[in-house]
Amino acid sequence: MNLEQVGAEFVSRMAAVRVSAGAETDLGAVVYRGLRKINDDMIPCCVIVEGAATLADGDFAADVQLSAPIAVQAYVPCDPANPNVAAHAALRDMKRAIWPTVNGRVELRLGSRVPSLAFGSQDIAPRADGAAFVLAVLHVEVEVAEDLSNP
């Protein structure tokens, strides 16, 4: 699995986050890859932003271990007086989608070539006061073994 495929997997997981499927929010209504500008009529939605990849192990070879940050941004409707309530619901939904429980255990990988999906940080960024939407961001550090000769 390469970083492009990791991004696609994040899109797939976020797209499944729907109230009709048992989630708290509908952040998966539309999922974008790398979109920077969101209009109010696009909300609810989610944006996957892939950061700069770096060499994780320090040794350069055709098959390398890369580390890359991924920001998962959820734009969800909220009570304008209490935007953090909806933001925390979105953060819970994102965490459950990225780190699902499988057979009673939290899955911390995306297969054998992605040995690590680590929590980086989270942030809540309300829009302008009085706006009925909030932005919740979950930062994930991904490590992936990638064959540079066959990306």
Side-chain angles (χ1 to χ4, degrees):
M1 182 175 280
N2 60 33
L3 287 171
E4 181 179 11
Q5 292 166 326
V6 169
E9 179 63 22
F10 269 69
V11 168
S12 175
R13 289 183 182 205
M14 291 306 116
V17 178
R18 301 301 305 268
V19 171
S20 61
E24 295 180 67
T25 68
D26 267 328
L27 65 88
V30 181
V31 182
Y32 300 100
R33 290 186 76 175
L35 187 64
R36 298 290 180 168
K37 185 175 180 177
I38 301 295
N39 299 319
D40 289 353
D41 60 345
M42 300 165 74
I43 298 169
C45 69
C46 183
V47 179
I48 307 300
V49 179
E50 300 171 41
T54 58
L55 199 56
D57 63 13
D59 294 327
F60 184 79
D63 197 23
V64 296
Q65 190 76 18
L66 298 176
S67 177
I70 295 180
V72 183
Q73 303 173 337
Y75 294 84
V76 294
C78 68
D79 170 356
N82 297 290
N84 287 10
V85 173
H88 282 291
L91 287 165
R92 285 191 298 271
D93 281 344
M94 290 186 284
K95 290 173 185 174
R96 283 190 288 261
I98 294 169
W99 296 286
T101 301
V102 178
N103 296 326
R105 299 183 69 168
V106 175
E107 183 60 45
L108 300 174
R109 304 163 26 128
L110 287 177
S112 63
R113 302 220 18 116
V114 183
S116 176
L117 289 174
F119 175 87
S121 63
Q122 67 185 42
D123 189 22
I124 298 172
R127 311 251 304 199
D129 280 346
F133 303 101
V134 67
L135 167 62
V137 183
L138 182 64
H139 299 276
V140 180
E141 291 293 326
V142 175
E143 284 193 14
V144 59
E146 186 169 323
D147 180 354
L148 296 180
S149 66
N150 185 22

